[in-house]
Amino acid sequence: MRDRAPWDAIVIGAGPNGLVAANLLVDAGWSVLVLEAQATPGGAVRSDREVHSDFVHDTMSSFYPLAAVSPVVQGLGLDRFGLAWRHAPAVLGHLEPVSGEWALVHRDRDVTATLLEQLQPSDGEAWLALCELWNQVGEQLVGALLSPFPPVRAGAGLLRRVAAPGGLDVVRSLLLPALDLVNDRFTGPAPRLLVAGSASHADIPLDAPGSGLMGLVLTMMGQQVGWPVPEGGAGRLTDALVQRAESGGATVRYSAEVREVVVVDGRAVGVRLADGEPIRARAVLADVIASRLYGALVPADRLPRRTRRRIQHFRLDPSTVKVDWALCGPVPWARQPPHAPGTVHIADSVTEMSQTAVQIQAGVVPSHPFLLFGQMTTTDPTRSSPGTESAWAYTHVPQETVGDAGPEGILGSWDHADLERMADRMQARVERLAPGFSSRIVARRILGPHELEARNANLVGGAVNGGTAQLHQQLFLRPIPGTGRAETPIRGLYLASSSAHPGGGVHGAAGSNAARAALVGRRLRRT
Ligand SMILES: Cc1cc2nc3c(=O)[nH]c(=O)nc-3n(C[C@H](O)[C@H](O)[C@H](O)COP(=O)(O)OP(=O)(O)OC[C@H]3O[C@@H](n4cnc5c(N)ncnc54)[C@H](O)[C@@H]3O)c2cc1C
Protein backbone atom coordinates (compact mmCIF):
# COMPACT_ATOMS: atom_id res chain seq x y z
CA MET A 1 0.00 0.00 0.00
CA ARG A 2 1.09 3.57 -0.69
CA ASP A 3 3.30 5.02 2.01
CA ARG A 4 1.09 7.86 3.23
CA ALA A 5 -0.24 8.28 6.77
CA PRO A 6 -3.41 6.22 6.89
CA TRP A 7 -6.79 7.88 7.25
CA ASP A 8 -8.46 7.31 10.58
CA ALA A 9 -11.43 5.99 8.66
CA ILE A 10 -12.55 5.24 5.14
CA VAL A 11 -16.29 5.22 4.57
CA ILE A 12 -17.29 3.22 1.49
CA GLY A 13 -20.42 4.81 0.02
CA ALA A 14 -22.00 8.27 0.34
CA GLY A 15 -25.54 7.07 1.08
CA PRO A 16 -27.32 8.56 4.09
CA ASN A 17 -25.83 5.96 6.43
CA GLY A 18 -22.30 6.48 5.13
CA LEU A 19 -22.65 10.25 5.38
CA VAL A 20 -24.06 10.11 8.91
CA ALA A 21 -21.09 7.91 9.90
CA ALA A 22 -18.63 10.35 8.30
CA ASN A 23 -20.22 13.26 10.17
CA LEU A 24 -20.02 11.54 13.54
CA LEU A 25 -16.40 10.55 12.98
CA VAL A 26 -15.24 14.04 11.97
CA ASP A 27 -17.10 15.34 15.03
CA ALA A 28 -14.86 13.02 17.07
CA GLY A 29 -11.79 14.52 15.43
CA TRP A 30 -11.03 11.70 12.99
CA SER A 31 -9.62 12.16 9.51
CA VAL A 32 -12.25 10.68 7.19
CA LEU A 33 -12.26 9.79 3.49
CA VAL A 34 -15.62 8.94 1.89
CA LEU A 35 -15.32 6.94 -1.34
CA GLU A 36 -18.42 6.96 -3.56
CA ALA A 37 -18.72 4.83 -6.71
CA GLN A 38 -21.16 7.19 -8.43
CA ALA A 39 -20.37 10.67 -9.77
CA THR A 40 -22.71 12.22 -7.20
CA PRO A 41 -23.52 11.48 -3.55
CA GLY A 42 -26.72 10.32 -1.87
CA GLY A 43 -27.26 6.64 -2.66
CA ALA A 44 -31.04 6.27 -2.65
CA VAL A 45 -31.47 9.88 -1.44
CA ARG A 46 -31.11 12.07 -4.51
CA SER A 47 -33.18 14.22 -6.86
CA ASP A 48 -32.80 15.37 -10.46
CA ARG A 49 -34.43 17.14 -13.40
CA GLU A 50 -34.06 14.24 -15.82
CA VAL A 51 -37.79 13.68 -16.41
CA HIS A 52 -38.39 17.30 -17.43
CA SER A 53 -36.19 20.34 -16.89
CA ASP A 54 -39.03 22.25 -15.16
CA PHE A 55 -39.67 19.48 -12.63
CA VAL A 56 -37.61 18.19 -9.71
CA HIS A 57 -38.10 14.46 -9.16
CA ASP A 58 -36.77 12.40 -6.30
CA THR A 59 -34.89 9.66 -8.10
CA MET A 60 -35.59 7.06 -5.39
CA SER A 61 -36.77 7.81 -1.83
CA SER A 62 -38.98 10.81 -0.96
CA PHE A 63 -40.63 10.89 2.47
CA TYR A 64 -38.55 10.90 5.64
CA PRO A 65 -40.54 10.32 8.85
CA LEU A 66 -37.70 8.16 10.14
CA ALA A 67 -35.26 11.05 9.75
CA ALA A 68 -37.71 13.29 11.60
CA VAL A 69 -37.80 10.98 14.63
CA SER A 70 -34.15 9.91 14.46
CA PRO A 71 -32.13 11.45 17.31
CA VAL A 72 -29.00 11.00 15.18
CA VAL A 73 -30.25 12.93 12.15
CA GLN A 74 -31.90 15.57 14.33
CA GLY A 75 -28.70 15.90 16.36
CA LEU A 76 -26.69 16.88 13.28
CA GLY A 77 -28.39 20.29 13.03
CA LEU A 78 -28.74 20.04 9.27
CA ASP A 79 -30.88 23.18 9.12
CA ARG A 80 -27.58 25.07 9.48
CA PHE A 81 -26.57 23.49 6.16
CA GLY A 82 -29.65 24.55 4.23
CA LEU A 83 -32.07 21.72 5.03
CA ALA A 84 -35.72 22.75 5.47
CA TRP A 85 -38.62 20.32 5.80
CA ARG A 86 -41.96 20.59 4.02
CA HIS A 87 -45.27 18.84 4.76
CA ALA A 88 -48.29 18.05 2.60
CA PRO A 89 -51.70 19.21 3.90
CA ALA A 90 -52.36 15.56 4.85
CA VAL A 91 -49.76 12.88 5.50
CA LEU A 92 -51.31 9.89 3.80
CA GLY A 93 -54.41 9.06 1.81
CA HIS A 94 -56.21 6.08 0.34
CA LEU A 95 -59.09 6.55 -2.10
CA GLU A 96 -61.41 3.61 -1.53
CA PRO A 97 -62.66 2.65 -5.01
CA VAL A 98 -66.04 1.17 -4.02
CA SER A 99 -67.31 3.96 -1.76
CA GLY A 100 -65.29 6.69 -3.48
CA GLU A 101 -64.32 7.98 -0.02
CA TRP A 102 -60.87 9.13 1.08
CA ALA A 103 -59.22 7.61 4.14
CA LEU A 104 -56.76 10.20 5.44
CA VAL A 105 -54.09 10.61 8.09
CA HIS A 106 -53.84 14.25 9.05
CA ARG A 107 -51.00 15.44 11.30
CA ASP A 108 -53.61 16.55 13.81
CA ARG A 109 -54.87 13.28 15.31
CA ASP A 110 -58.23 14.85 16.17
CA VAL A 111 -58.77 15.78 12.53
CA THR A 112 -57.86 12.20 11.51
CA ALA A 113 -60.25 10.80 14.10
CA THR A 114 -63.10 13.13 13.08
CA LEU A 115 -62.69 12.17 9.41
CA LEU A 116 -62.65 8.45 10.26
CA GLU A 117 -65.66 8.79 12.58
CA GLN A 118 -67.62 10.42 9.74
CA LEU A 119 -66.95 7.35 7.60
CA GLN A 120 -67.69 4.76 10.29
CA PRO A 121 -68.96 5.50 13.79
CA SER A 122 -66.51 4.21 16.43
CA ASP A 123 -63.49 4.16 14.08
CA GLY A 124 -62.47 7.69 15.12
CA GLU A 125 -62.48 6.64 18.74
CA ALA A 126 -60.56 3.47 17.89
CA TRP A 127 -57.97 5.59 16.07
CA LEU A 128 -57.47 7.76 19.14
CA ALA A 129 -57.07 4.58 21.23
CA LEU A 130 -54.30 3.49 18.84
CA CYS A 131 -52.65 6.91 19.26
CA GLU A 132 -52.90 6.42 23.03
CA LEU A 133 -51.14 3.04 22.75
CA TRP A 134 -48.41 4.77 20.75
CA ASN A 135 -48.11 7.44 23.47
CA GLN A 136 -47.34 4.70 25.97
CA VAL A 137 -44.53 2.99 24.05
CA GLY A 138 -43.77 4.91 20.85
CA GLU A 139 -40.80 6.91 22.03
CA GLN A 140 -39.11 3.94 23.72
CA LEU A 141 -39.91 1.69 20.78
CA VAL A 142 -38.39 4.02 18.20
CA GLY A 143 -35.41 4.60 20.55
CA ALA A 144 -34.92 0.83 20.85
CA LEU A 145 -35.22 0.25 17.10
CA LEU A 146 -32.69 2.96 16.27
CA SER A 147 -30.13 1.93 18.94
CA PRO A 148 -27.39 -0.66 18.49
CA PHE A 149 -28.63 -4.16 19.28
CA PRO A 150 -29.30 -5.04 22.09
CA PRO A 151 -30.91 -1.69 22.93
CA VAL A 152 -29.93 -1.44 26.60
CA ARG A 153 -31.24 1.96 27.71
CA ALA A 154 -34.27 2.32 25.41
CA GLY A 155 -35.02 -1.38 25.93
CA ALA A 156 -35.11 -0.89 29.71
CA GLY A 157 -37.55 2.02 29.26
CA LEU A 158 -39.70 -0.16 27.05
CA LEU A 159 -39.67 -2.98 29.59
CA ARG A 160 -40.77 -0.59 32.34
CA ARG A 161 -43.75 0.46 30.20
CA VAL A 162 -44.60 -3.13 29.41
CA ALA A 163 -44.46 -4.09 33.09
CA ALA A 164 -47.02 -1.38 33.92
CA PRO A 165 -50.74 -2.30 34.12
CA GLY A 166 -52.08 -3.09 30.63
CA GLY A 167 -48.54 -3.57 29.35
CA LEU A 168 -49.11 -7.10 28.14
CA ASP A 169 -52.02 -5.95 25.98
CA VAL A 170 -49.63 -3.46 24.43
CA VAL A 171 -47.12 -6.23 23.69
CA ARG A 172 -49.85 -8.33 22.10
CA SER A 173 -50.89 -5.42 19.86
CA LEU A 174 -47.29 -4.83 18.79
CA LEU A 175 -46.80 -8.47 17.86
CA LEU A 176 -50.04 -8.91 15.93
CA PRO A 177 -49.90 -9.38 12.17
CA ALA A 178 -51.26 -6.29 10.38
CA LEU A 179 -54.42 -8.12 9.27
CA ASP A 180 -55.32 -9.05 12.85
CA LEU A 181 -54.37 -5.62 14.21
CA VAL A 182 -56.69 -3.76 11.82
CA ASN A 183 -59.52 -6.27 12.09
CA ASP A 184 -59.33 -6.28 15.91
CA ARG A 185 -59.46 -2.53 16.26
CA PHE A 186 -61.53 -1.09 13.42
CA THR A 187 -64.94 -1.69 11.87
CA GLY A 188 -64.77 0.20 8.57
CA PRO A 189 -62.32 -0.09 5.66
CA ALA A 190 -60.68 3.36 5.97
CA PRO A 191 -58.35 2.90 8.99
CA ARG A 192 -57.73 -0.71 7.95
CA LEU A 193 -56.46 0.49 4.57
CA LEU A 194 -54.26 3.18 6.16
CA VAL A 195 -52.51 0.82 8.59
CA ALA A 196 -52.27 -2.20 6.25
CA GLY A 197 -51.02 0.03 3.41
CA SER A 198 -48.28 1.39 5.68
CA ALA A 199 -47.38 -2.16 6.71
CA SER A 200 -47.02 -2.94 2.99
CA HIS A 201 -44.04 -0.54 2.76
CA ALA A 202 -41.98 -3.49 4.01
CA ASP A 203 -41.98 -7.00 2.57
CA ILE A 204 -43.42 -8.65 5.67
CA PRO A 205 -46.58 -10.63 4.76
CA LEU A 206 -49.65 -8.95 6.26
CA ASP A 207 -50.57 -12.15 8.09
CA ALA A 208 -47.13 -12.47 9.73
CA PRO A 209 -45.96 -10.96 13.05
CA GLY A 210 -43.91 -7.81 12.49
CA SER A 211 -46.23 -6.44 9.79
CA GLY A 212 -48.59 -4.92 12.38
CA LEU A 213 -45.67 -3.20 14.07
CA MET A 214 -44.50 -1.76 10.74
CA GLY A 215 -48.00 -0.43 9.99
CA LEU A 216 -48.29 1.01 13.46
CA VAL A 217 -44.86 2.68 13.46
CA LEU A 218 -45.36 4.36 10.08
CA THR A 219 -48.93 5.59 10.66
CA MET A 220 -48.19 6.78 14.18
CA MET A 221 -45.02 8.57 13.06
CA GLY A 222 -47.25 10.25 10.48
CA GLN A 223 -49.49 11.28 13.32
CA GLN A 224 -46.59 12.45 15.47
CA VAL A 225 -44.18 14.16 13.07
CA GLY A 226 -45.78 13.79 9.63
CA TRP A 227 -43.98 12.34 6.61
CA PRO A 228 -41.81 15.34 5.70
CA VAL A 229 -39.74 15.97 2.58
CA PRO A 230 -36.69 18.21 2.10
CA GLU A 231 -37.59 21.49 0.47
CA GLY A 232 -36.23 21.47 -3.08
CA GLY A 233 -35.82 17.69 -3.41
CA ALA A 234 -34.48 14.65 -1.60
CA GLY A 235 -30.98 15.64 -2.76
CA ARG A 236 -31.07 18.61 -0.39
CA LEU A 237 -30.84 16.22 2.54
CA THR A 238 -27.76 14.67 0.97
CA ASP A 239 -26.28 18.10 0.17
CA ALA A 240 -26.65 19.10 3.82
CA LEU A 241 -25.00 15.88 5.02
CA VAL A 242 -22.10 16.31 2.58
CA GLN A 243 -21.58 19.98 3.41
CA ARG A 244 -21.62 19.28 7.13
CA ALA A 245 -19.11 16.45 6.79
CA GLU A 246 -16.82 18.49 4.54
CA SER A 247 -16.99 21.52 6.78
CA GLY A 248 -15.85 19.21 9.60
CA GLY A 249 -12.84 18.14 7.54
CA ALA A 250 -14.06 15.01 5.69
CA THR A 251 -12.95 14.44 2.10
CA VAL A 252 -15.48 12.99 -0.33
CA ARG A 253 -14.21 11.41 -3.56
CA TYR A 254 -16.64 10.54 -6.37
CA SER A 255 -16.38 7.96 -9.16
CA ALA A 256 -14.23 6.03 -6.70
CA GLU A 257 -15.56 2.48 -6.58
CA VAL A 258 -14.04 0.29 -3.90
CA ARG A 259 -13.25 -3.19 -5.25
CA GLU A 260 -11.58 -4.69 -2.22
CA VAL A 261 -11.30 -4.25 1.52
CA VAL A 262 -7.66 -5.02 2.23
CA VAL A 263 -7.34 -7.37 5.20
CA VAL A 264 -4.03 -8.20 6.90
CA ASP A 265 -3.86 -10.61 9.85
CA GLY A 266 -7.63 -10.46 10.33
CA ARG A 267 -7.75 -6.65 10.42
CA ALA A 268 -8.99 -4.20 7.76
CA VAL A 269 -6.10 -1.90 6.86
CA GLY A 270 -7.58 -0.06 3.90
CA VAL A 271 -9.20 -0.51 0.53
CA ARG A 272 -8.30 -0.93 -3.12
CA LEU A 273 -10.20 1.06 -5.77
CA ALA A 274 -11.44 -0.31 -9.10
CA ASP A 275 -8.42 1.27 -10.86
CA GLY A 276 -6.08 -0.53 -8.46
CA GLU A 277 -5.25 2.44 -6.22
CA PRO A 278 -4.66 1.32 -2.62
CA ILE A 279 -5.65 3.62 0.26
CA ARG A 280 -4.76 2.92 3.89
CA ALA A 281 -7.01 3.45 6.90
CA ARG A 282 -7.22 2.40 10.52
CA ALA A 283 -10.93 1.61 10.19
CA VAL A 284 -13.22 0.88 7.24
CA LEU A 285 -16.96 1.54 7.44
CA ALA A 286 -18.92 -0.07 4.62
CA ASP A 287 -22.20 1.52 3.51
CA VAL A 288 -22.47 -1.51 1.25
CA ILE A 289 -25.10 -4.25 0.97
CA ALA A 290 -23.98 -7.25 3.05
CA SER A 291 -24.05 -9.72 0.17
CA ARG A 292 -21.52 -7.59 -1.78
CA LEU A 293 -19.37 -6.82 1.25
CA TYR A 294 -18.99 -10.46 2.24
CA GLY A 295 -19.47 -11.88 -1.25
CA ALA A 296 -17.05 -9.68 -3.22
CA LEU A 297 -15.28 -6.83 -1.38
CA VAL A 298 -13.70 -8.87 1.40
CA PRO A 299 -11.60 -11.64 -0.18
CA ALA A 300 -13.28 -14.96 0.57
CA ASP A 301 -10.12 -16.45 2.13
CA ARG A 302 -10.13 -13.66 4.75
CA LEU A 303 -13.62 -14.49 6.02
CA PRO A 304 -14.44 -17.14 8.61
CA ARG A 305 -16.05 -20.17 7.01
CA ARG A 306 -19.29 -19.65 8.96
CA THR A 307 -19.68 -16.12 7.55
CA ARG A 308 -19.18 -17.43 4.01
CA ARG A 309 -21.78 -20.12 4.69
CA ARG A 310 -24.31 -17.81 6.34
CA ILE A 311 -24.14 -15.10 3.68
CA GLN A 312 -25.34 -17.73 1.16
CA HIS A 313 -28.67 -17.62 3.01
CA PHE A 314 -28.94 -13.81 3.03
CA ARG A 315 -32.30 -12.86 1.50
CA LEU A 316 -32.86 -9.77 -0.62
CA ASP A 317 -36.13 -7.87 -0.40
CA PRO A 318 -38.32 -7.79 -3.55
CA SER A 319 -37.45 -5.92 -6.68
CA THR A 320 -38.92 -2.54 -7.65
CA VAL A 321 -40.32 -0.64 -10.63
CA LYS A 322 -40.62 3.12 -10.20
CA VAL A 323 -42.37 5.53 -12.57
CA ASP A 324 -41.98 9.32 -12.43
CA TRP A 325 -44.41 11.65 -14.16
CA ALA A 326 -44.27 15.36 -14.95
CA LEU A 327 -47.92 16.48 -15.00
CA CYS A 328 -49.25 19.69 -16.53
CA GLY A 329 -52.00 19.83 -13.90
CA PRO A 330 -52.82 18.36 -10.50
CA VAL A 331 -53.84 14.70 -10.26
CA PRO A 332 -57.55 14.70 -11.26
CA TRP A 333 -58.79 12.43 -8.46
CA ALA A 334 -62.38 11.28 -9.06
CA ARG A 335 -63.19 12.94 -5.77
CA GLN A 336 -60.96 15.62 -4.26
CA PRO A 337 -59.85 14.86 -0.69
CA PRO A 338 -60.67 17.41 2.06
CA HIS A 339 -56.90 17.66 2.74
CA ALA A 340 -54.45 16.77 -0.08
CA PRO A 341 -52.15 13.90 0.95
CA GLY A 342 -48.44 13.75 0.08
CA THR A 343 -48.47 9.96 -0.17
CA VAL A 344 -51.35 7.96 -1.61
CA HIS A 345 -51.66 4.18 -1.31
CA ILE A 346 -53.37 2.56 -4.28
CA ALA A 347 -55.08 -0.80 -3.71
CA ASP A 348 -58.69 -1.91 -3.96
CA SER A 349 -58.77 -3.55 -0.52
CA VAL A 350 -56.69 -4.95 2.31
CA THR A 351 -57.34 -8.43 0.90
CA GLU A 352 -55.91 -7.35 -2.44
CA MET A 353 -52.77 -5.95 -0.73
CA SER A 354 -52.30 -9.23 1.07
CA GLN A 355 -52.76 -11.28 -2.11
CA THR A 356 -50.32 -9.06 -3.99
CA ALA A 357 -47.65 -9.63 -1.36
CA VAL A 358 -48.17 -13.40 -1.59
CA GLN A 359 -47.87 -13.26 -5.39
CA ILE A 360 -44.56 -11.40 -5.17
CA GLN A 361 -43.18 -13.94 -2.70
CA ALA A 362 -44.24 -16.70 -5.10
CA GLY A 363 -42.45 -15.08 -8.04
CA VAL A 364 -45.59 -13.81 -9.79
CA VAL A 365 -45.86 -10.24 -11.14
CA PRO A 366 -49.12 -8.88 -9.64
CA SER A 367 -51.95 -8.05 -12.03
CA HIS A 368 -53.14 -5.42 -9.54
CA PRO A 369 -49.91 -4.02 -8.10
CA PHE A 370 -50.03 -2.16 -4.79
CA LEU A 371 -48.76 1.36 -5.54
CA LEU A 372 -47.08 3.90 -3.35
CA PHE A 373 -47.87 7.19 -5.07
CA GLY A 374 -46.24 10.56 -4.29
CA GLN A 375 -47.64 14.04 -4.96
CA MET A 376 -44.47 16.03 -4.54
CA THR A 377 -45.54 19.52 -5.64
CA THR A 378 -48.54 19.18 -3.33
CA THR A 379 -46.05 18.47 -0.55
CA ASP A 380 -43.36 20.96 -1.54
CA PRO A 381 -44.44 23.70 -4.00
CA THR A 382 -40.80 24.30 -5.06
CA ARG A 383 -40.75 21.03 -7.05
CA SER A 384 -42.57 22.42 -10.11
CA SER A 385 -44.52 25.50 -11.15
CA PRO A 386 -47.92 26.29 -9.59
CA GLY A 387 -50.77 24.19 -10.96
CA THR A 388 -48.48 21.32 -12.09
CA GLU A 389 -47.46 18.16 -10.22
CA SER A 390 -44.24 16.23 -9.88
CA ALA A 391 -45.58 12.72 -9.25
CA TRP A 392 -44.24 9.20 -8.92
CA ALA A 393 -45.35 5.70 -8.08
CA TYR A 394 -43.41 2.60 -7.24
CA THR A 395 -44.37 -0.98 -6.77
CA HIS A 396 -42.66 -4.23 -5.92
CA VAL A 397 -42.15 -7.13 -8.28
CA PRO A 398 -40.42 -10.50 -7.71
CA GLN A 399 -36.64 -10.85 -7.69
CA GLU A 400 -37.07 -14.09 -9.69
CA THR A 401 -40.15 -14.09 -11.92
CA VAL A 402 -41.97 -17.33 -12.72
CA GLY A 403 -45.11 -15.81 -14.21
CA ASP A 404 -47.36 -12.81 -14.72
CA ALA A 405 -50.81 -12.67 -13.14
CA GLY A 406 -51.77 -9.99 -15.66
CA PRO A 407 -52.67 -10.41 -19.34
CA GLU A 408 -49.66 -8.60 -20.85
CA GLY A 409 -47.18 -11.44 -20.44
CA ILE A 410 -44.49 -9.61 -18.48
CA LEU A 411 -41.47 -11.92 -18.50
CA GLY A 412 -39.49 -10.53 -15.58
CA SER A 413 -36.40 -9.73 -17.65
CA TRP A 414 -37.23 -6.06 -17.00
CA ASP A 415 -36.03 -4.97 -20.41
CA HIS A 416 -37.62 -1.99 -22.16
CA ALA A 417 -40.74 -3.95 -23.22
CA ASP A 418 -41.35 -5.36 -19.72
CA LEU A 419 -40.91 -1.94 -18.13
CA GLU A 420 -43.30 -0.23 -20.56
CA ARG A 421 -45.96 -2.88 -19.88
CA MET A 422 -45.53 -2.63 -16.14
CA ALA A 423 -45.58 1.19 -16.20
CA ASP A 424 -48.80 1.10 -18.28
CA ARG A 425 -50.33 -1.31 -15.76
CA MET A 426 -49.40 1.01 -12.90
CA GLN A 427 -50.66 4.05 -14.79
CA ALA A 428 -54.00 2.33 -15.49
CA ARG A 429 -54.47 1.88 -11.74
CA VAL A 430 -53.98 5.61 -11.18
CA GLU A 431 -56.21 6.47 -14.17
CA ARG A 432 -59.07 4.42 -12.69
CA LEU A 433 -59.04 6.57 -9.54
CA ALA A 434 -58.15 9.78 -11.36
CA PRO A 435 -59.84 9.83 -14.79
CA GLY A 436 -57.86 12.01 -17.18
CA PHE A 437 -54.53 11.41 -15.39
CA SER A 438 -52.81 10.15 -18.56
CA SER A 439 -53.83 13.22 -20.56
CA ARG A 440 -51.89 15.40 -18.09
CA ILE A 441 -48.58 13.59 -18.59
CA VAL A 442 -45.89 15.79 -20.11
CA ALA A 443 -43.05 13.30 -19.59
CA ARG A 444 -42.51 9.94 -17.89
CA ARG A 445 -39.45 8.00 -16.73
CA ILE A 446 -39.34 4.34 -15.77
CA LEU A 447 -36.66 2.99 -13.46
CA GLY A 448 -36.64 -0.80 -13.27
CA PRO A 449 -34.37 -3.13 -11.33
CA HIS A 450 -31.44 -2.71 -13.77
CA GLU A 451 -31.67 1.10 -13.84
CA LEU A 452 -31.90 1.29 -10.04
CA GLU A 453 -28.88 -0.95 -9.55
CA ALA A 454 -26.88 0.98 -12.19
CA ARG A 455 -27.47 4.15 -10.15
CA ASN A 456 -26.70 2.52 -6.82
CA ALA A 457 -24.93 -0.83 -6.54
CA ASN A 458 -26.65 -1.47 -3.18
CA LEU A 459 -30.04 -1.83 -4.90
CA VAL A 460 -29.23 -5.37 -6.01
CA GLY A 461 -31.94 -6.56 -8.43
CA GLY A 462 -33.99 -3.50 -7.43
CA ALA A 463 -34.13 -4.41 -3.70
CA VAL A 464 -34.64 -1.15 -1.79
CA ASN A 465 -34.00 -2.13 1.83
CA GLY A 466 -30.61 -3.86 1.94
CA GLY A 467 -32.25 -7.26 2.52
CA THR A 468 -35.67 -8.54 3.53
CA ALA A 469 -37.35 -6.99 6.59
CA GLN A 470 -38.91 -10.32 7.54
CA LEU A 471 -38.42 -11.54 11.08
CA HIS A 472 -35.86 -14.21 10.17
CA GLN A 473 -33.43 -11.46 9.06
CA GLN A 474 -33.99 -8.87 11.80
CA LEU A 475 -32.30 -7.84 15.07
CA PHE A 476 -29.49 -10.30 15.96
CA LEU A 477 -30.23 -12.19 12.71
CA ARG A 478 -29.44 -9.14 10.52
CA PRO A 479 -27.77 -9.45 8.08
CA ILE A 480 -26.76 -12.98 9.10
CA PRO A 481 -27.34 -14.94 12.30
CA GLY A 482 -25.13 -13.98 15.19
CA THR A 483 -24.48 -10.42 14.01
CA GLY A 484 -26.96 -7.56 14.56
CA ARG A 485 -24.20 -5.15 15.50
CA ALA A 486 -21.97 -3.05 13.26
CA GLU A 487 -18.86 -5.08 14.10
CA THR A 488 -17.94 -7.72 11.50
CA PRO A 489 -15.76 -10.82 11.70
CA ILE A 490 -12.90 -8.62 10.39
CA ARG A 491 -11.39 -6.33 13.03
CA GLY A 492 -11.59 -2.66 12.04
CA LEU A 493 -14.33 -3.32 9.45
CA TYR A 494 -17.85 -2.12 10.29
CA LEU A 495 -21.12 -2.66 8.42
CA ALA A 496 -22.78 0.76 8.07
CA SER A 497 -25.53 0.13 5.52
CA SER A 498 -29.21 -0.73 5.68
CA SER A 499 -28.18 -4.39 5.60
CA ALA A 500 -27.31 -3.88 9.27
CA HIS A 501 -29.83 -3.51 12.10
CA PRO A 502 -32.31 -1.70 12.01
CA GLY A 503 -32.58 -2.04 8.23
CA GLY A 504 -33.97 0.15 5.46
CA GLY A 505 -35.17 3.73 5.69
CA VAL A 506 -33.47 7.06 6.06
CA HIS A 507 -32.77 7.27 9.79
CA GLY A 508 -28.97 7.13 9.82
CA ALA A 509 -29.02 4.54 12.60
CA ALA A 510 -26.86 1.97 10.82
CA GLY A 511 -24.27 4.65 10.02
CA SER A 512 -24.36 5.96 13.57
CA ASN A 513 -24.03 2.47 15.06
CA ALA A 514 -21.02 1.78 12.84
CA ALA A 515 -19.34 5.08 13.73
CA ARG A 516 -19.84 4.48 17.44
CA ALA A 517 -18.51 0.93 17.14
CA ALA A 518 -15.42 2.24 15.32
CA LEU A 519 -14.82 4.87 18.03
CA VAL A 520 -15.15 2.25 20.77
CA GLY A 521 -12.91 -0.11 18.78
CA ARG A 522 -10.16 2.51 18.65
CA ARG A 523 -10.47 3.22 22.37
CA LEU A 524 -10.26 -0.47 23.22
CA ARG A 525 -7.25 -0.92 20.95
CA ARG A 526 -5.44 1.92 22.69
CA THR A 527 -6.11 0.54 26.16
C1 LIG B 1 -37.13 3.61 -4.86
C2 LIG B 1 -36.84 3.75 -3.38
C3 LIG B 1 -37.75 4.43 -2.58
C4 LIG B 1 -37.51 4.55 -1.20
N1 LIG B 1 -38.37 5.32 -0.45
C5 LIG B 1 -38.03 5.62 0.83
C6 LIG B 1 -38.72 6.63 1.54
O1 LIG B 1 -39.61 7.31 0.99
N2 LIG B 1 -38.36 6.87 2.82
C7 LIG B 1 -37.33 6.19 3.44
O2 LIG B 1 -37.04 6.44 4.62
N3 LIG B 1 -36.62 5.26 2.76
C8 LIG B 1 -36.93 4.97 1.47
N4 LIG B 1 -36.17 4.10 0.74
C9 LIG B 1 -35.08 3.36 1.43
C10 LIG B 1 -33.89 4.24 1.73
O3 LIG B 1 -33.64 5.12 0.68
C11 LIG B 1 -32.67 3.35 2.00
O4 LIG B 1 -32.97 2.44 3.04
C12 LIG B 1 -31.47 4.21 2.39
O5 LIG B 1 -31.10 5.06 1.35
C13 LIG B 1 -30.31 3.31 2.77
O6 LIG B 1 -29.19 4.12 3.01
P1 LIG B 1 -27.72 3.55 2.92
O7 LIG B 1 -26.81 4.68 3.22
O8 LIG B 1 -27.64 2.31 3.74
O9 LIG B 1 -27.52 3.04 1.42
P2 LIG B 1 -27.75 3.72 0.03
O10 LIG B 1 -28.67 4.86 0.11
O11 LIG B 1 -28.13 2.61 -0.89
O12 LIG B 1 -26.31 4.28 -0.39
C14 LIG B 1 -25.22 3.41 -0.62
C15 LIG B 1 -24.13 4.17 -1.35
O13 LIG B 1 -22.96 3.38 -1.39
C16 LIG B 1 -22.38 3.45 -2.68
N5 LIG B 1 -21.60 2.25 -2.90
C17 LIG B 1 -22.04 0.97 -2.87
N6 LIG B 1 -21.02 0.12 -3.12
C18 LIG B 1 -19.89 0.89 -3.27
C19 LIG B 1 -18.52 0.60 -3.54
N7 LIG B 1 -18.09 -0.66 -3.70
N8 LIG B 1 -17.65 1.63 -3.63
C20 LIG B 1 -18.06 2.92 -3.45
N9 LIG B 1 -19.36 3.24 -3.22
C21 LIG B 1 -20.26 2.24 -3.12
C22 LIG B 1 -23.59 3.57 -3.60
O14 LIG B 1 -23.24 4.12 -4.86
C23 LIG B 1 -24.50 4.48 -2.78
O15 LIG B 1 -24.23 5.84 -3.05
C24 LIG B 1 -36.36 3.96 -0.62
C25 LIG B 1 -35.43 3.31 -1.44
C26 LIG B 1 -35.65 3.22 -2.81
C27 LIG B 1 -34.62 2.56 -3.68
Coordinates of all heavy atoms in Angstrom, one line a residue, residues 50 117 184 226 230 235 270 328 379 409 413 422:
E50 N -34.2 15.1 -14.6 CA -34.1 14.2 -15.8 C -35.4 14.1 -16.5 O -35.4 14.0 -17.8 CB -33.6 12.8 -15.4 CG -32.2 12.5 -15.5 CD -31.9 11.1 -15.0 OE1 -32.8 10.2 -15.1 OE2 -30.8 10.9 -14.5
E117 N -64.4 9.0 11.9 CA -65.7 8.8 12.6 C -66.8 9.1 11.6 O -67.8 8.4 11.7 CB -65.7 9.7 13.8 CG -66.8 9.5 14.8 CD -66.7 8.2 15.6 OE1 -65.5 7.7 15.8 OE2 -67.7 7.7 16.0
D184 N -59.0 -6.4 14.5 CA -59.3 -6.3 15.9 C -59.8 -4.9 16.3 O -60.7 -4.8 17.1 CB -58.0 -6.5 16.7 CG -57.9 -7.9 17.2 OD1 -58.6 -8.8 16.6 OD2 -57.1 -8.2 18.1
G226 N -45.5 13.7 11.1 CA -45.8 13.8 9.6 C -44.8 12.9 8.8 O -44.0 12.2 9.4
P230 N -37.6 17.0 2.1 CA -36.7 18.2 2.1 C -37.2 19.2 1.1 O -37.5 18.8 -0.1 CB -35.3 17.6 1.7 CG -35.5 16.1 1.9 CD -36.9 15.8 1.7
G235 N -32.4 15.4 -2.7 CA -31.0 15.6 -2.8 C -30.5 16.7 -1.8 O -29.3 16.8 -1.4
G270 N -7.3 -1.0 5.0 CA -7.6 -0.1 3.9 C -8.4 -0.7 2.8 O -9.1 -1.7 3.0
C328 N -49.0 18.3 -16.3 CA -49.2 19.7 -16.5 C -50.4 20.2 -15.6 O -50.7 21.4 -15.7 CB -49.6 19.9 -18.0 SG -51.1 19.1 -18.5
T379 N -46.8 18.5 -1.8 CA -46.0 18.5 -0.5 C -45.1 19.6 -0.4 O -44.9 20.2 0.7 CB -45.3 17.1 -0.4 OG1 -46.2 16.1 -0.8 CG2 -44.8 16.9 1.0
G409 N -48.3 -10.5 -20.3 CA -47.2 -11.4 -20.4 C -45.8 -10.8 -20.1 O -44.9 -11.0 -20.8
S413 N -37.8 -10.1 -17.3 CA -36.4 -9.7 -17.6 C -36.2 -8.2 -17.4 O -35.0 -7.8 -17.3 CB -36.2 -10.0 -19.1 OG -37.1 -9.2 -19.9
M422 N -45.3 -2.8 -17.6 CA -45.5 -2.6 -16.1 C -45.9 -1.2 -15.8 O -46.9 -0.9 -15.0 CB -44.3 -3.0 -15.4 CG -44.5 -3.2 -13.9 SD -45.6 -4.6 -13.5 CE -46.1 -4.2 -11.9

